[in-house]
Amino acid sequence: MPIEVFCIDSYHSKDDPKPVVSSVKKNVYILFGILTGILLLSTIVLAVLFSIEKTKTIKPIAVKDELCLTPFCIKAANYLLESIDETIEPCEDFFKFACGTWLKNNRIPDDTGAQDTFNVLRTQLDNNVIDILTSPLPDDTIHIKAISNARRLYESCVNEIAIETDGVDTVLSVVDNELGGWPILHGQSWDETKFNLSKLLFKLREYNNNMLFQCGTATDDKNSSAYYIRISQSDLALEQKQYYINESKITQAYKQFIYELAKSLTNDSTMIENDVRDIYEFERKISHFHWTPADQRARQNDTIRTSLHNLSRILNTSFDFTNYVRQIYLSANVTLLDNDNVSISEVEFLRNASLLIDQHSPRTVQNYLIWRFMMNRAANMPKRYRTIKEQFERALRGTSAERPRSVTCGSYVNGNMGFAVAKLYIKKYFDENARNQSLEMIRNIRNAFIDMLEDSTWMDDVSKDKAKEKAREIDEKIGYPEYLGSDNITELEQEYEGYEFNSSYIHNILKVLQIKSQENFKTLRKPVDRKGWGLTPPTVVNAFYTPSKNQITFPAGILQMPFFNKDAPKYLNYGGIGAVIGHEITHGFDDNGRQFDKDGNRILWWTPETIERFNERKTCVVDQYSQYFLEQINTTINGNQTQGENIADNGGVKEAFYAYKKWIKANGNLDKKLPGLIKYSSEQMFFINYAQVWCSKMTDPYAMSRVLTGVHAPGQFRVLGPTSNFVDFDRVFSCKPGQGNSRLNKCTVW
């Protein structure tokens, strides 16, 4: 799924007098600015001369005519020069060439497990969100309730004094009075005769907690114009089943987390050690049946589709799933019908988890389910309890410090009321030029992909024509939904109706959980807006493809340097956001996306012959990435688990490159060179900026988690994989076939 870097500036209270700058100091500042400008220009000239001297084949250039000296170009040249390592031959290892200096000079922040371009941008976004939530509101937004409540939610989160005053009574009251109590806190006095699994899971789901079983509303994969009920496995506390196989520092830290949290909440410690052991052993047994991301991807066709009426008969478990599903939807005033469609995933897990519940005592099951609730709530409790969780997170992620409270709170508000935050973000930080330029790039890259489809030799004409039709039908969303840019606030206010908060953070947390749960259930009876924006707010650094909508989305948060800048040379934009655009388009035709037609329905729309040839080509990609060895943790990556992203990476960089070449052909090579980088052609700069985006470092625990659970390959392989398969990369850098960064047998799906 965020890593932050922070610098702490001196702080002045709003009550402190503002520092007065004398006229003498002002003159000094002006002189300093002039000297800085002269120094910067001298540096640029020296960089140009050095670059010319270093590459004798380059003729001296007329700086005025061919060198870009705009503030943006100087900044871009700086971050690229601080990234590449020219002692490395590009054809031998393009990742180390493009990122070698970056790797030497960048460190992993103490409060994160990794550092990369995405995380740097997320840090900036986090700071912008904090600014939005704390600065005086623009006059035209003061009256918007959604924004006022978002800021009130943030204020309650950063108010440590109030959080300490509230203590844990509210959480424990919910546990005791609504959830049946946490036995580990009550020693032998807990009454197991009151154990009611259905009621417990129902109440947990009311607080948006899916324990053991995941149940909620999703778009019907066979009918994208409607919703259905989806039941599947829930998550594991340690995320990945492999962690439970052997005892390790992570499992020890996890058990210590349970022990310390329970001990901090009770004076009766007589049963804690036994209960911790039983909780862990119960979850370890559950993990044995848990499907990994690779399992889920490989066994998508194992999903069962049925009606609510037949649900219990299909699952054949002692737990009454039909009644459970009816009750949780009824909590949101949604009455289910016998013929409502239900999709069941990971059926084997559901049956085995239900069987394990039958085989264990009520105390163990109650202890485990309440533990998972408390594990999530620990982050919302006073600092001494958060510190206990932080120790576990350090073992799991490899961190050594806690995130600043302001960042934690800003991220929380953005995650739950992101569209209210975005209303302010786009007014203050988003450049509208990004929308028009991005639309043009999407059009050009889409056309490049259609050309690639046309040139395909492995697709028959029937499948090829349908694929081209799907590509043309892809809906694009850029920046933000239209209503956020409008003076009409009706839709925004409706979006957050009921999101009314007070000064109690834990009260607000519990209310948000209940609201989110009800929103999901109520969606079942709503019409699907296939052209709507979706659930992810514009204030994220990411991009998306949604199969059920055949839609690509590029939120405002990602439309910034090094991905995009309106003043950037086209080779930077196409190598940055262009490759991301191509990546998302290609997702419509990867191992998962290709199963959905142009209308977002999961049906067979390719011929069997074309599907067979596709599978042969994707197998090449799977095998290639399965051989990549991450030396840092002495393990190979999972080519099956990451295949969709790898296919998208390989296709995306090609589409963006071909689109850029067509742009040059249509417009002439108007791009000027960057200072200090004049030796590189525009095509080479395209690849350099593409690779720079994936410069990354990880702690060992974070790297292991990434390999075990992530669907993306680590950054270095997102560079090496696509460039080694691309003949135009070989041509641009004059690489010989079979050289380090050039595969002899190139894997090509798109």
Side-chain angles (χ1 to χ4, degrees):
M1 47 128 90
I3 311 300
E4 287 77 27
V5 185
F6 293 91
C7 58
I8 302 176
D9 298 321
S10 59
Y11 171 76
H12 291 279
S13 164
K14 65 180 181 179
D15 298 320
D16 292 340
K18 294 182 179 179
V20 178
V21 180
S22 68
S23 59
V24 175
K25 287 186 177 179
K26 288 181 180 179
N27 291 334
V28 171
Y29 292 160
I30 293 170
L31 179 59
F32 177 75
I34 294 171
L35 292 174
T36 301
I38 294 172
L39 180 60
L40 179 59
L41 184 58
S42 301
T43 302
I44 293 169
V45 173
L46 287 172
V48 174
L49 293 175
F50 176 76
S51 182
I52 294 171
E53 177 63 25
K54 193 171 182 180
T55 308
K56 298 297 184 179
T57 56
I58 302 286
K59 295 180 180 180
I61 64 171
V63 172
K64 179 180 178 182
D65 297 329
E66 297 186 31
L67 197 62
C68 181
L69 296 176
T70 65
F72 170 80
C73 285
I74 293 171
K75 189 174 183 179
N78 183 60
Y79 79 71
L80 288 171
L81 286 168
E82 290 182 348
S83 180
I84 62 176
D85 181 354
E86 293 184 316
T87 67
I88 305 295
E89 168 58 46
C91 293
E92 291 299 329
D93 190 324
F94 194 59
F95 176 75
K96 289 183 179 177
F97 165 78
C99 298
T101 302
W102 186 97
L103 292 170
K104 294 173 187 175
N105 295 334
N106 278 267
R107 60 178 291 273
I108 300 170
D110 294 336
D111 58 349
T112 72
Q115 177 70 317
D116 58 26
T117 297
F118 277 87
N119 296 326
V120 171
L121 294 183
R122 285 167 181 152
T123 296
Q124 181 59 54
L125 181 68
D126 287 337
N127 291 333
N128 291 342
V129 168
I130 293 169
D131 177 56
I132 285 169
L133 293 171
T134 57
S135 298
L137 286 172
D139 291 340
D140 59 345
T141 61
I142 292 175
H143 66 291
I144 302 177
K145 291 182 180 179
I147 292 176
S148 297
N149 277 300
R151 288 163 68 93
R152 193 172 295 120
L153 180 59
Y154 175 82
E155 289 164 3
S156 73
C157 181
V158 295
N159 190 343
E160 294 273 33
I161 295 176
I163 291 172
E164 293 294 330
T165 301
D166 281 348
V168 296
D169 289 348
T170 302
V171 172
L172 293 181
S173 175
V174 170
V175 170
D176 289 335
N177 299 326
E178 298 184 45
L179 304 179
W182 193 14
I184 198 172
L185 303 185
H186 300 284
Q188 297 181 0
S189 65
W190 183 74
D191 184 2
E192 70 174 32
T193 63
K194 296 181 179 180
F195 175 70
N196 186 320
L197 179 64
S198 295
K199 181 180 178 181
L200 174 57
L201 290 176
F202 166 71
K203 294 300 295 186
L204 286 169
R205 188 62 183 85
E206 272 195 327
Y207 285 103
N208 210 31
N209 282 252
N210 286 283
M211 307 304 185
L212 295 176
F213 313 127
Q214 184 97 17
C215 183
T217 305
T219 305
D220 189 333
D221 62 351
K222 300 293 185 183
N223 177 16
S224 62
S225 63
Y227 293 109
Y228 66 1
I229 301 164
R230 185 170 184 268
I231 300 174
S232 62
Q233 70 180 16
S234 187
D235 62 347
L236 297 169
L238 296 181
E239 300 173 357
Q240 173 54 251
K241 66 188 296 181
Q242 186 165 329
Y243 283 131
Y244 296 87
I245 295 174
N246 297 307
E247 187 77 2
S248 67
K249 290 181 179 179
I250 290 175
T251 57
Q252 291 171 1
Y254 178 51
K255 286 183 280 189
Q256 190 68 20
F257 180 16
I258 307 173
Y259 179 87
E260 293 293 343
L261 187 64
K263 188 176 179 181
S264 69
L265 293 170
T266 183
N267 293 321
D268 185 350
S269 61
T270 56
M271 297 289 288
I272 291 181
E273 288 190 11
N274 288 335
D275 284 340
V276 169
R277 184 190 63 241
D278 292 344
I279 288 169
Y280 178 76
E281 282 302 309
F282 179 69
E283 186 168 42
R284 187 184 63 79
K285 292 175 183 176
I286 289 172
S287 72
H288 178 72
F289 302 105
H290 207 263
W291 291 29
T292 67
D295 293 333
Q296 292 171 320
R297 198 167 199 100
R299 301 173 64 184
Q300 290 175 340
N301 293 328
D302 289 358
T303 298
I304 295 175
R305 185 184 179 91
T306 187
S307 66
L308 181 67
H309 176 71
N310 290 325
L311 177 61
S312 290
R313 180 181 63 82
I314 293 291
L315 287 173
N316 191 27
T317 60
S318 61
F319 179 71
D320 189 348
F321 276 95
T322 301
N323 183 63
Y324 168 68
V325 174
R326 286 187 187 277
Q327 290 300 314
I328 60 176
Y329 272 87
L330 194 59
S331 70
N333 296 319
V334 177
T335 301
L336 297 184
L337 308 175
D338 284 347
N339 62 350
D340 278 330
N341 289 321
V342 181
S343 169
I344 315 171
S345 303
E346 298 92 48
V347 177
E348 294 170 14
F349 173 87
L350 300 178
R351 290 171 178 158
N352 283 301
S354 181
L355 185 61
L356 281 172
I357 291 172
D358 295 340
Q359 295 170 348
H360 285 77
S361 69
R363 182 182 185 93
T364 297
V365 178
Q366 178 83 12
N367 256 332
Y368 173 71
L369 293 173
I370 301 301
W371 154 244
R372 292 298 307 277
F373 176 79
M374 292 300 292
M375 178 183 180
N376 293 334
R377 300 287 66 77
N380 314 133
M381 294 159 67
K383 188 170 180 59
R384 60 186 179 279
Y385 304 102
R386 299 201 307 266
T387 300
I388 296 171
K389 182 174 185 179
E390 181 61 28
Q391 294 304 313
F392 164 67
E393 291 290 338
R394 293 185 184 193
L396 186 63
R397 311 294 179 198
T399 57
S400 59
E402 189 176 3
R403 301 169 77 193
R405 187 66 185 170
S406 59
V407 174
T408 297
C409 295
S411 296
Y412 174 76
V413 175
N414 191 32
N416 288 282
M417 298 189 72
F419 291 93
V421 174
K423 176 74 174 178
L424 299 171
Y425 178 87
I426 61 177
K427 290 172 71 72
K428 190 168 185 177
Y429 295 106
F430 186 65
D431 188 336
E432 289 297 328
N433 287 302
R435 301 187 94 185
N436 295 332
Q437 288 194 36
S438 297
L439 280 170
E440 179 187 4
M441 293 178 70
I442 290 173
R443 182 173 64 250
N444 294 343
I445 294 168
R446 187 204 312 259
N447 289 337
F449 179 70
I450 292 172
D451 289 343
M452 290 164 62
L453 285 171
E454 187 63 49
D455 294 338
S456 168
T457 58
W458 57 272
M459 300 184 78
D460 57 53
D461 289 340
V462 173
S463 302
K464 186 181 293 187
D465 287 343
K466 289 183 177 180
K468 288 189 289 186
E469 186 180 10
K470 178 177 180 178
R472 294 189 186 99
E473 290 289 320
I474 292 175
D475 180 40
E476 68 267 354
K477 299 298 178 192
I478 300 171
Y480 55 88
E482 294 297 331
Y483 76 86
L484 286 183
S486 168
D487 292 333
N488 189 333
I489 60 172
T490 302
E491 189 168 348
L492 179 63
E493 296 288 45
Q494 289 175 344
E495 174 82 13
Y496 295 112
E497 185 178 8
Y499 284 68
E500 296 183 2
F501 303 114
N502 59 29
S503 59
S504 171
Y505 177 54
I506 190 60
H507 168 273
N508 296 338
I509 285 284
L510 295 172
K511 185 168 188 176
V512 169
L513 290 170
Q514 292 173 310
I515 290 172
K516 293 298 181 183
S517 184
Q518 295 212 357
E519 284 178 346
N520 179 265
F521 297 143
K522 289 177 180 178
T523 300
L524 184 67
R525 298 300 186 220
K526 292 182 178 180
V528 175
D529 182 2
R530 295 194 66 253
K531 298 295 183 181
W533 177 270
L535 298 177
T536 304
T539 41
V540 296
V541 182
N542 214 329
F544 310 94
Y545 173 77
T546 307
S548 63
K549 291 184 175 183
N550 193 25
Q551 182 184 85
I552 52 178
T553 303
F554 305 97
I558 199 173
L559 294 172
Q560 53 184 312
M561 195 176 81
F563 290 101
F564 174 86
N565 187 279
K566 65 182 178 63
D567 298 321
K570 295 295 183 183
Y571 52 73
L572 294 185
N573 280 346
Y574 274 91
I577 197 65
V580 176
I581 292 170
H583 175 104
E584 301 307 333
I585 289 174
T586 309
H587 266 316
F589 306 86
D590 66 13
D591 63 304
N592 179 58
R594 66 100 184 153
Q595 300 182 53
F596 294 80
D597 68 5
K598 66 180 179 66
D599 297 317
N601 297 313
R602 192 177 177 194
I603 60 173
L604 286 175
W605 57 285
W606 284 359
T607 63
E609 293 78 16
T610 291
I611 293 174
E612 182 179 355
R613 296 189 191 110
F614 172 87
N615 287 335
E616 291 173 357
R617 288 172 172 263
K618 80 162 188 179
T619 299
C620 181
V621 175
V622 170
D623 292 343
Q624 173 190 352
Y625 282 79
S626 293
Q627 294 172 10
Y628 282 137
F629 188 76
L630 192 58
E631 294 181 1
Q632 178 181 355
I633 54 173
N634 197 35
T635 189
T636 55
I637 71 170
N638 192 323
N640 273 304
Q641 187 167 294
T642 58
Q643 62 179 296
E645 298 299 332
N646 299 334
I647 291 170
D649 279 345
N650 278 265
V653 71
K654 289 180 182 178
E655 294 149 35
F657 184 76
Y658 293 149
Y660 174 59
K661 287 182 66 177
K662 289 184 72 173
W663 183 87
I664 290 176
K665 187 174 181 180
N667 297 277
N669 194 356
L670 304 177
D671 285 338
K672 294 183 178 182
K673 293 181 179 290
L674 299 181
L677 294 161
I678 63 173
K679 70 169 78 173
Y680 300 107
S681 70
S682 58
E683 290 183 338
Q684 289 174 328
M685 290 299 297
F686 168 94
F687 286 107
I688 289 172
N689 199 48
Y690 166 76
Q692 196 274 336
V693 164
W694 302 115
C695 297
S696 61
K697 301 177 76 168
M698 302 177 284
T699 62
D700 290 354
Y702 189 98
M704 181 58 73
S705 177
R706 174 76 174 267
V707 169
L708 292 177
T709 64
V711 295
H712 298 86
Q716 66 200 77
F717 305 123
R718 302 191 74 172
V719 175
L720 298 176
T723 55
S724 68
N725 285 326
F726 196 9
V727 293
D728 274 271
F729 175 85
D730 291 348
R731 173 186 61 79
V732 167
F733 285 94
S734 301
C735 301
K736 299 175 182 177
Q739 201 170 353
N741 209 97
S742 175
R743 288 174 60 86
L744 280 174
N745 300 314
K746 297 188 185 299
C747 297
T748 303
V749 178
W750 303 111

